[in-house]
Every structure is written in C-alpha cells, then in structure tokens.
C-alpha cells in the first residue's frame, strides 16, 4: 500500500512538472528579479510575461526552438526551451539601450515586436516613471522626449505630436478608446485622469492609427497599460505592491500612493489608490517680466477686490487636488481563458484656468473667477481573452467598456453678480472584438470589429451670487448621441528573414443625432436638429527591412480620418475675446495622408542613431472661420456683442518634420541619450493665404547624461525649446496677449528656453528606495509654446518608495 501511495505521489509530481514550469529572470548586475520580461515563440504562438518576482510559467513554450526574451533596456536573448532547461530555468539579462529590437508593444492593439512594425513607437516603462517621478500623466508623456506638452493651467496637459493635438490624437487605456464625443479642438486636460503610479507601460505610436483605432487617430496614439493582476505560480499567495510619498517645493506638492497585488493560482486582484495636493505654482526668478501677473481677485465682504500678491511669482489661481482609485480582478481558470475586470475612478477638485484669469479689460482683470469644476472619469472594463487555435482565430480578445465623463466650467466677470455654469456628462459604451490568426510561419492576420456609443447631456445655468437664485441658461452642447461602428484587418507577411511587410484596411461609419431645442430661447438657430452619417475607408501599407543586425529601415504610407464630433458640430463658446463659436450642422470628415520613413543604425555595442521623417497632408480640415447665424454675423454672448464663427471644412494643412534619437554607451557606468524633434506645419486661412499651424510646436528636445552603479542611479538632463518669433506665430495665436512675452517691438512671441535638471535614486534596502531631484536648477522663468501658465521654477523633489 505504501509503495502504491509513493508511486502515486511521484506520478502526480511528474504530471505537475509537465503542466507547470517556472523560469526566473534577474538583472545580471544587481541580481534583482525583472518584471514584465516577455518570452515569446512564433512556432508555439504563445507568449508570457514575468511577474514582480521575475517569474513566469513557460509550459506553453515547451519544445520551442526559438524563444525571444525581451525587456526594454536589456539585450534581447533568443533561447530554445532545451537551453533554458539546461540552465535550470534561470536566466540573467544584460542591461543596455543599444538595441534595434527592444520590446513587444501593444499600441497596435495586438502584441507585436517593434522590429515588425513600420510605424515609429516610443515606450515609457514603469521603471522610467519610478526614477523620473512625473507629477501627472501629462508629465509622464514628456519623459519620452518626443511628445510636446501644452498647459493652460497646472491641472492639465495637452499633448502635441507631429503637428497635431487635442481631438486629432487618440488616447487608449487598456485597449479602450478614451476619446469622447466632446473631445474639443481646444486644449484638452483629460490625460490627467490617469494615475502614473498605476501605469505599467506607456506606448506612443507616431502617425496615423485610424486603421486600428478609427476616428481622431491622425497625429498619433497614446496607449496606456495599467497594472495587471499577477497570479501566483505556486501554492503560496503572491503578495506584492508599493507605497510612495512625494514632496515638491515649486507647488508644495504632497502626494501619496499605495497599491497591492494579491494573487493565487487562478484568481488575482490589484488595488491602487493615489492622492495629490498642489498649491499655487511658483514660476522662476529669471526670465520675461511679461509672464508675471502679480494681482488676482478675491471676494471680500461681498465685493470683488483686486489683490496685489506678496509673492509676484506665484500663479494664482492654479492650486488643485486629485484622487484616483483602481480595482482589478482576474480569473484564469486554465491556459486558454483569461478574464479581467477593471474599475477606474478619478476626480479633481475645481481648478482655475490660469490663462483666462490673466485676461484684462478696461485696464483691470476681466474675470473675477474662471475655473473648471471637478473633472470626473469612471471606467468599468471587462476583458476576456481566449486562445483557441481554431479555423477562425488563434487568439480572441473581447473588451466591453462603460465610461462616465463629467466636465464643468464656471465664469463670472469682475464686479458682476451672475456666474455662468456649464456642466457636461457623457456616458460612453464600447465593444471591441479582436482576433489574431497565423496563416503560416510567415503570415499573420490581425482583425476585428468595434462599436462605440456616446450619450451626451449638457446643461447651462446662471446663478446670482448675491441672492443665490439659479436660473436656466444656455448649454454648451445640444442633447445628442454619437456612434461609431467599424471593421478592420491587418496583414503581416514575412517576405524574408530581412523584410517584413504589413498592410491594413478599415471601414468606419460615424453618426451624430443632435437636438438644439433647449438653446433656442438663447440663440437664433435656424435649425432644431442635426444629423451626421459619415462613412470612411482608411488604409496603410508599409515594410521593415533589416539588411544586417546593425541596420533597420522602415517606410509606411497611411491614411487617417476624423469625423466631426459633437464639439465640432454643436458647441457654443467664446473662443477668443469678442468672438463666439456656434454650431454648424453641415460638417464632414477630414482626411489625412501620411508618409513615414525611418532608419536606425547601431555602431558596435556603444552607439545607436535613429531618424524618422514624415510628411502629412490634411484635407477638408475642420477649422474656425467667420460664419453667419440666422443671417447675423454678430450676436450677444455673455453680455458682449461677439463676431460669429463656426468650425467649417475650409482648409488644407501640411505638416512635415524629423525625429532624431542618439544613444551612447560610455565606460564606468556612464551613458548619453538625446531626443530632438523638428516639425513645420502650415494651414490655409480664410483668404487663401498660409499660416503656421497652431499645433506644430517649435523644435524641442531633451539630452541626458546617465550614471548607474550598484544601488545608485543618476541623471543630469537638459530640456530645451526653440524660439517662435511673432511673424512665425500662427494667425490665431498672435492676438493672445495673455499667453506670450513681448519682443523689442512690443509684439507677442514665444522665447526660446532651456532648463538643467538632476535626478537621483538610491536603493536603501530591498524594500526602501529614496528619490531626489532638482528641476530647473537655474530657476528660469519660461513658458512652453502656446501655454497659458509658466512652468515651475527651481523645484526640489523628494520621494520615498517602499516595495513589498
């Protein structure tokens, strides 16, 4: 009997070993476990990633002859399963940035190698974020050195990519489209809804992404992957997490974060909570005096009083606070099925729009108050993944998502009693069904269907602050719904070991149904409803050529589109002093045609250079032009006779530019890296003349000197931006006196600027890490192009992190 039991236990052990084989991957220098390492095999059509303990179950890769092992910042290794077995399933990776094939990305919605994608993609890892300590997700995007960030207030950040911005860029969170029907042409602040502490990887796809993501993906796609619940690979629960506290001097930042992962063999959960509190932002001491506004309005004894600040460098009002929460639950019953549910919630306090509070009228401040109300975002997302390997697909992913957006704005003129309040609520629902299918060792299909539906409610009110009486007022938008349905296909074909081709196509239908009835008492609209029913066909074709292991050459031609959303078609707002933008139900989609060419070269094991050039033509572009409403070219708006304008299909825009990167590995733990971006854009004006494009930022970049040794990591870096003279400012920017400095002739311009900065991170123990930094060492007073608020002055940052 004992012998039978012994044989039974041995047999069970053999069965368990056959079903589960765990590999451990560590850093070759420090011995620390490496998280998010990807192990993939084309032959077995499988991939896995390591957890926080550097471990992964590679049973699905058994007998594979080629397993590619990748992690951003480490040399890629190719091993057979047998070789891993000979090493006792233990592997060390060597740190380096001198690579042409760095990482597996999902910005294309599917897991693909960067070496197979003709588009240019930048990746920001969780380690980059932990070291450089960005305050917001907007600052996180700037870490790439390839994304320009505009800010109208401290609580914001509107990315500019390759001459495009706002609703010509697309945001994706865990594969779900974040763009809503009211994403506006003006600067957006929605990216701050995301929590940098809860993001495990950020990818920026440059150029058109409409084949995969549909409308809006003209200039690029920003894909954010939040923390994934990790399963335990043994009988013990896997409990990992981190706690972070941070202080910054320029805005008296007080930040706290906590996340914890609890994983069993089939179930896992990750919980994340963050809170931020920012005081008014202080700008630098050395720079243009035009950026200093030493007065602000306070309400005292029922009277608006213009107060002279004790510290003129404080930018009042700019203070705000924010809270973020995330909860994910994962259930993986077997190797073929994976279920993940995610809940996200973000809410800010009300925060002042600094540039509007900086407007003057009749020699004094125009507004007593102009601020955004709490910005709220909630998402429920269920993702179901199945590995089927049947006639239809090898892998299927279903994403069901519901999002709620709430935005509001309040303004009141100086010494006036009426406060205007506008509130917008959007309920967004989406379904994505994505498939991958390998037709052969050389050909892979990626295809899917998508449906998105946005329901928009918009209200307006006018409150007398003396009596407290609130009356109905004009809303910013009509009551409306926006919908999009699409089918898409991508084909990847490995022509040879040196050349991979990729082509894609998408057909998209977009509809809007809007009702303007609630605003008829306030505006002389000659219509009560508006409908849009646009169909768009987009495509792309490109290839990647690798003549040797040291060269990569890529080219891609792609089209993209942006169908009018509710912000384009139905908005009423004051776009500029003395002007009002009104609805235009006759809008049609705009189309972009883009060509990319990229080349990267590695010289030995020490130098890497990469260049990417592009040219984009935007036709039928939606731009603001003079308009008539019911035969009138001017109407009363907020008590002011204002010129009527509307968004119209009335222009052609051209953007071209160059992105360059350099990485140099030096002896003794030193390295140098640099990113530089040059872009030129021009658009057609109403009279047929040309103007620089508003969203083509001046040349900008970042250069870094890095040092790493044992427990210490240092980086000295410089950020910089070129000057934009008055004659080079876009036509619409020349009159925005509150944004720009004055040149010798008293005209608006954006001065060049640079900052020197230093960051350090030291591992005090296996648990605790200390981060410290000084940003803007020279205390420069500068304002990024098109921004309404100056950047921080000299800023001391101190952070303590505990990992467990």
């Amino acid at each position: 009997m004992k012998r039978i039991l012994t044989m039974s236990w041995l047999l069970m052990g053999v069965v368990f070993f056959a079903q589960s084989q765990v590999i451990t991957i560590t850093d070759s220098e420090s011995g620390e476990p490496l998280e998010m390492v990807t192990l993939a095999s084309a032959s077995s059509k499988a991939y896995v990633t390591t957890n926080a303990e550097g471990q992964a179950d590679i049973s699905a890769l058994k007998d594979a002859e080629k397993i590619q092992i990748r992690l951003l910042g480490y040399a890629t290794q190719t091993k057979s399963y047998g070789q891993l077995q000979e090493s006792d399933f233990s592997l060390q990776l060597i740190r380096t940035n001198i690579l042409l094939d760095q990482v597996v990305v999902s910005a294309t919605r599917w897991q693909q190698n960067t070496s197979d994608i003709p588009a240019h993609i930048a990746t920001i890892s969780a380690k980059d974020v932990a070291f450089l300590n960005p305050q917001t997700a907007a600052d996180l995007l700037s870490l790439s050195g390839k994304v320009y960030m505009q800010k109208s207030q401290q609580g914001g950040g509107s990315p500019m990519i390759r001459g495009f911005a706002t609703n010509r860029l697309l945001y994706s969170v865990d594969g779900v489209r974040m763009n809503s029907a009211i994403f506006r042409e003006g600067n957006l602040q929605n990216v701050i809804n995301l929590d940098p502490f809860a993001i495990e990887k950020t990818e920026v796809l440059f150029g058109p992404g409409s084949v995969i993501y549909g409308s809006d993906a003209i200039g690029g796609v920003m894909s954010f992957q939040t923390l994934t619940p990790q399963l335990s690979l043994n009988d013990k629960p896997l409990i990992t997490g981190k706690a972070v506290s941070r202080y910054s001097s320029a805005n008296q930042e007080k930040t706290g974060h906590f996340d914890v992962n609890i994983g069993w063999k089939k179930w896992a959960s990750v919980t994340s909570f963050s809170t931020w509190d920012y005081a008014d932002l202080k700008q630098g001491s050395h720079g243009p005096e035009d950026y200093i506004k030493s007065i602000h309005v306070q309400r005292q004894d029922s009277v608006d009083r213009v107060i002279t600040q004790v510290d003129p460098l404080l930018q009042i009002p700019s203070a705000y606070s924010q809270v973020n929460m995330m909860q994910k639950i994962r259930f993986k019953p077997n190797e073929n099925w994976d279920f993940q549910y995610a809940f996200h919630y973000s809410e800010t306090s009300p925060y002042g729009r600094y540039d509007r509070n900086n407007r003057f009228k009749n020699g004094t401040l125009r507004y007593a108050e102009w601020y955004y109300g709490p910005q709220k975002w909630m998402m429920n997302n269920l993702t179901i993944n199945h590995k089927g390997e049947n006639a239809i697909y090898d892998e299927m992913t279903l994403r069901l998502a519901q999002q709620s957006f709430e935005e509001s704005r309040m303004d009141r003129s100086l010494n006036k009693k009426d406060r205007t309040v506008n509130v917008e609520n959007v309920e967004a629902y989406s379904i994505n069904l994505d498939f991958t299918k390998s037709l052969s060792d050389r050909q892979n299909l990626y295809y899917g269907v998508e449906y998105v539906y946005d329901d928009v409610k918009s209200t307006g009110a006018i409150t007398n602050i003396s009596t407290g009486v609130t009356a109905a007022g004009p809303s910013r938008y009509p009551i409306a719904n926006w919908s999009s349905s699409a089918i898409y296909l991508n084909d990847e074909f490995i022509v040879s070991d040196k050349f991979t081709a990729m082509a894609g196509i998408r057909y998209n239908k977009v509809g809007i149904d809007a009702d303007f009835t609630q605003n008829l008492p306030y505006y002389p609209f000659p219509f009560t409803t508006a409908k849009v029913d646009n169909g768009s066909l987009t495509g792309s074709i490109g290839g990647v050529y690798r003549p040797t292991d040291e060269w990569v050459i890529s080219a891609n031609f792609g089209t993209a589109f942006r169908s009018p959303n509710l912000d384009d078609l139905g908005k009423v707002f004051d776009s500029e002093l003395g002007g009002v933008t009104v609805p235009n139900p006759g809008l049609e989609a705009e189309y972009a045609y883009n060509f990319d060419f990229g080349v990267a070269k590695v010289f030995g094991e020490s130098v890497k250079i990469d260049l990417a050039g592009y040219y984009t033509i935007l036709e039928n572009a939606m731009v603001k032009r003079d308009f008539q409403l019911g035969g009138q070219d001017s109407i009363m708006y907020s008590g002011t006779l204002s010129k009527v304008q509307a968004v119209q299909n009335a222009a052609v825009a051209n953007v071209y530019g160059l992105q360059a990167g350099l990485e140099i590995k030096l002896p003794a733990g030193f390295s140098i890296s640099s990113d530089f971006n040059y872009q030129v854009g021009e658009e057609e004006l109403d009279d047929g003349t040309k103007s620089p494009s508003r969203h083509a930022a001046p040349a900008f970049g970042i250069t870094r000197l890095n040092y790493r040794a044992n427990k210490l990591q240092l980086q000295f870096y410089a950020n910089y931006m070129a000057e934009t003279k008055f004659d080079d400012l876009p036509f619409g920017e020349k009159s925005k006196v509150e944004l720009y400095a004055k040149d010798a002739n008293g005209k608006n311009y954006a001065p060049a600027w640079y900052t020197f900065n230093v960051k350090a991170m030291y591992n005090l123990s296996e648990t605790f890490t200390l981060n410290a930094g000084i940003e803007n060492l020279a205390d420069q007073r500068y304002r990024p192009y098109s921004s309404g608020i100056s950047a921080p002055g000299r800023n001391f940052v101190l952070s303590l992190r505990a990992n467990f």
Side-chain angles (χ1 to χ4, degrees):
M1 182 67 179
K2 180 186 280 188
R3 188 174 181 180
I4 293 174
L5 288 173
T6 301
M7 291 300 293
S8 298
W9 280 108
L10 286 172
L11 182 61
M12 289 174 65
V14 171
V15 171
F16 177 79
F17 182 82
Q19 291 178 343
S20 176
Q21 181 55 63
V22 176
I23 189 172
T24 301
I25 302 179
T26 57
D27 183 290
S28 63
E29 296 178 7
S30 67
E32 295 179 352
L34 295 177
E35 186 179 1
M36 298 298 294
V37 180
T38 301
L39 299 94
S41 169
S43 60
S44 62
K45 305 172 188 175
Y47 63 88
V48 295
T49 56
T50 57
N51 60 21
E53 296 181 338
Q55 296 183 330
D57 182 356
I58 61 170
S59 302
L61 301 171
K62 188 174 182 181
D63 298 328
E65 291 298 321
K66 286 186 177 181
I67 301 174
Q68 293 184 320
I69 304 162
R70 294 185 176 91
L71 177 63
L72 184 67
Y74 289 83
T76 298
Q77 295 191 28
T78 301
K79 301 282 187 180
S80 68
Y81 186 89
Q83 288 175 316
L84 295 177
Q85 191 172 29
E86 290 173 3
S87 65
D88 200 22
F89 296 103
S90 178
L91 185 68
Q92 291 188 329
L93 297 186
I94 300 172
R95 188 184 299 273
T96 180
N97 285 322
I98 311 301
L99 297 168
L100 294 178
D101 180 15
Q102 290 193 342
V103 70
V104 175
V105 297
S106 55
T108 55
R109 202 189 292 278
W110 300 279
Q111 298 280 341
Q112 291 179 275
N113 299 331
T114 51
S115 61
D116 296 330
I117 301 172
H120 189 48
I121 296 177
T123 302
I124 305 168
S125 70
K127 287 190 174 183
D128 296 329
V129 175
F131 173 57
L132 292 169
N133 254 332
Q135 288 193 345
T136 68
D139 299 329
L140 180 155
L141 286 168
S142 299
L143 300 182
S144 68
K146 298 178 175 67
V147 178
Y148 182 85
M149 195 61 57
Q150 182 277 349
K151 292 188 178 183
S152 297
Q153 64 278 328
Q154 186 175 197
S158 188
M160 296 183 184
I161 299 176
R162 290 190 170 186
F164 297 99
T166 62
N167 53 17
R168 291 188 179 114
L169 302 176
L170 191 129
Y171 302 79
S172 171
V173 182
D174 293 339
V176 176
R177 175 191 177 95
M178 192 182 189
N179 293 42
S180 76
I182 62 170
F183 262 42
R184 56 187 178 271
E185 185 272 339
N187 298 311
L188 287 168
Q189 322 305 330
N190 298 75
V191 71
I192 68 168
N193 289 332
L194 304 176
D195 179 358
F197 295 112
I199 296 174
E200 66 184 20
K201 186 166 64 172
T202 302
E203 296 164 355
V204 182
L205 184 150
F206 296 91
S210 283
V211 169
I212 305 301
Y213 289 97
S215 180
D216 304 357
I218 290 179
V221 175
M222 292 157 284
S223 174
F224 302 90
Q225 175 63 51
T226 60
L227 297 174
T228 301
Q230 298 178 358
L231 299 165
S232 175
L233 300 176
N234 52 47
D235 293 330
K236 295 181 180 180
L238 174 66
I239 302 176
T240 60
K242 63 179 179 288
V244 183
S245 63
R246 184 174 64 215
Y247 171 81
S248 300
S249 62
N251 53 7
Q252 302 298 304
E253 178 204 10
K254 293 175 283 293
T255 288
H257 168 78
F258 175 81
D259 68 68
V260 59
N261 181 99
I262 304 176
W264 296 270
K265 284 189 175 181
K266 294 184 178 181
W267 289 88
S269 165
V270 63
T271 303
S272 173
F273 177 83
S274 300
T275 177
W276 298 264
D277 184 77
Y278 306 106
D280 293 312
L281 181 62
K282 185 174 182 177
Q283 57 187 326
S285 302
H286 311 293
E289 295 292 322
D290 305 294
Y291 294 154
I292 296 179
K293 177 179 74 73
S294 59
I295 57 175
H296 66 276
V297 178
Q298 287 185 3
R299 186 78 174 170
Q300 298 177 351
D301 301 323
S302 300
V303 176
D304 292 332
R305 302 188 188 278
V306 178
I307 305 297
T308 300
Q309 297 170 194
V310 175
D311 186 348
L313 299 181
L314 284 178
Q315 299 175 97
I316 303 176
S318 60
Y320 83 105
S321 60
Q322 182 172 334
V323 63
N324 273 59
M325 294 178 284
M326 184 186 76
Q327 177 64 56
K328 285 189 174 184
I329 297 173
R330 181 181 184 185
F331 175 53
K332 190 174 182 180
N334 53 50
E335 289 300 317
N336 293 328
W337 289 96
D338 195 345
F339 300 82
Q340 292 190 42
Y341 165 75
F343 169 79
H344 299 264
Y345 184 78
S346 172
E347 181 175 348
T348 71
S349 67
Y351 52 92
R353 178 164 171 177
Y354 185 73
D355 60 343
R356 292 296 176 95
N357 283 284
N358 204 10
R359 286 185 173 179
F360 282 74
K361 184 178 181 180
N362 298 327
T364 189
L365 292 173
R366 178 182 180 185
Y367 292 105
E369 51 189 45
W370 206 118
Y371 58 94
Y372 291 110
Q375 180 172 291
K376 302 176 184 179
W377 172 66
M378 180 184 73
M379 181 169 76
N380 292 279
N381 177 24
L382 176 64
T383 301
I384 302 172
N385 180 271
H386 180 243
K387 296 178 181 178
E389 297 190 17
N390 51 49
I392 300 176
Y393 62 86
D394 295 327
E395 186 173 354
M396 177 273 294
T397 302
L398 173 66
R399 294 181 180 89
L400 306 172
Q402 176 270 330
Q403 298 180 79
S404 296
F405 302 85
E406 181 178 313
E407 301 176 7
S408 55
R409 62 200 66 217
M410 298 83 172
D411 69 82
R412 182 175 62 84
S413 296
L414 187 68
N415 297 320
K416 302 296 182 181
K417 296 181 179 180
D418 287 343
R419 175 189 293 136
T420 301
V421 180
N422 289 104
V423 181
E424 283 74 55
N425 293 95
V426 180
E427 295 294 323
Y429 308 89
S430 62
I431 301 173
N432 283 91
L433 187 58
D434 296 314
F435 302 95
T436 65
K437 179 61 182 175
S438 177
L439 301 182
S440 68
D441 291 342
R442 291 186 173 274
Q443 187 172 18
N444 298 299
L445 290 182
Y446 307 92
Y447 62 100
V449 294
E450 177 187 74
Y451 180 74
V452 182
Y453 181 86
D454 287 6
D455 185 59
V456 181
K457 298 289 189 297
S458 181
T459 61
I462 299 174
T463 299
N464 186 304
I465 63 171
S466 296
T467 64
V469 175
T470 298
S475 65
R476 183 175 171 88
Y477 299 108
I479 303 300
N481 60 69
W482 180 94
S483 63
S484 170
S485 54
I487 183 170
Y488 43 90
L489 169 70
N490 259 24
D491 186 2
E492 176 188 280
F493 185 71
I494 302 174
V495 180
S496 69
D497 292 340
K498 295 183 178 182
F499 182 66
T500 300
M502 181 172 289
I505 190 169
R506 178 188 182 106
Y507 182 72
N508 213 121
K509 289 280 288 184
V510 175
I512 296 179
D513 192 351
D515 186 344
F516 293 86
T517 304
Q518 67 180 9
N519 272 341
L520 289 180
Y522 311 104
Y523 304 116
F525 293 151
F527 46 81
T528 58
T529 62
K531 292 183 181 293
V532 169
D533 186 13
N534 287 331
S536 299
L537 183 68
T538 55
S540 65
I541 185 169
V544 180
Y545 177 56
R546 298 173 294 277
T548 68
D549 291 340
E550 291 79 32
W551 282 93
V552 172
I553 302 170
S554 62
N556 189 63
F557 175 77
T559 63
F561 78 100
R562 186 171 77 86
S563 186
N565 65 13
L566 196 60
D567 187 81
D568 302 306
L569 178 140
K571 176 176 60 179
V572 179
F573 84 118
D574 58 330
S575 57
E576 58 189 54
L577 198 61
V580 59
T581 298
V582 300
N584 176 14
L587 279 177
E588 298 177 352
E590 58 185 16
Y591 290 88
Y593 305 88
N594 177 82
F595 178 73
D596 272 90
F597 181 81
V599 59
K601 175 74 168 73
V602 167
F603 299 87
E605 297 182 356
S606 301
V607 179
K608 174 187 172 183
I609 297 175
D610 63 87
L611 300 170
Y614 58 91
Y615 192 97
T616 306
I617 301 173
L618 183 67
E619 293 187 345
N620 218 29
M622 289 182 268
V623 293
K624 282 196 292 287
R625 293 286 187 263
D626 290 345
F627 197 63
Q628 287 194 344
L629 189 61
Q632 302 179 47
D633 60 8
S634 298
I635 61 172
M636 293 299 296
Y637 182 80
S638 294
T640 302
L641 184 64
S642 302
K643 181 174 64 175
V644 174
Q645 295 181 318
V647 177
Q648 303 172 57
N649 298 108
V652 173
N654 299 278
V655 180
Y656 60 90
L658 179 71
Q659 293 176 299
L662 171 67
E663 295 181 21
I664 304 174
K665 184 179 179 180
L666 301 172
F670 286 94
S671 64
I672 294 173
S673 62
S674 187
D675 289 286
F676 180 76
N677 306 267
Y678 174 78
Q679 47 277 314
V680 176
E682 64 175 19
E683 60 184 38
E684 188 179 11
L685 296 178
D686 205 12
D687 60 1
T689 59
K690 303 289 186 180
S691 167
S693 175
R694 174 189 175 191
H695 293 138
F700 70 96
I702 181 172
T703 299
R704 317 168 189 90
L705 173 63
N706 305 287
Y707 174 75
R708 182 187 294 272
N710 298 321
K711 299 180 179 181
L712 177 66
Q713 183 178 352
L714 290 171
Q715 185 178 106
F716 178 81
Y717 62 100
N719 291 313
Y720 39 88
M721 185 195 81
E723 177 185 78
T724 303
K725 297 179 180 180
F726 176 79
D727 291 339
D728 297 325
L729 281 175
F731 178 77
E733 295 291 291
K734 292 182 176 181
S735 60
K736 296 179 179 179
V737 296
E738 69 272 17
L739 301 189
Y740 296 101
K742 301 295 183 290
D743 62 18
N745 298 315
K747 295 182 177 181
N748 292 339
Y749 84 116
W753 56 264
Y754 63 89
T755 64
F756 296 123
N757 318 266
V758 62
K759 292 288 177 70
M761 182 171 72
Y762 186 78
N763 295 328
L764 300 172
S765 67
E766 291 185 0
T767 301
F768 293 101
T769 302
L770 182 67
N771 283 68
I774 307 175
E775 299 170 343
N776 193 358
L777 282 161
D779 202 24
Q780 296 290 312
R781 184 187 309 126
Y782 70 99
R783 184 170 293 184
Y785 162 78
S786 191
S787 292
I789 190 169
S790 298
R794 186 183 295 118
N795 186 29
F796 296 90
V797 183
L798 185 64
S799 175
L800 182 65
R801 177 189 181 107
N803 294 293
F804 59 91

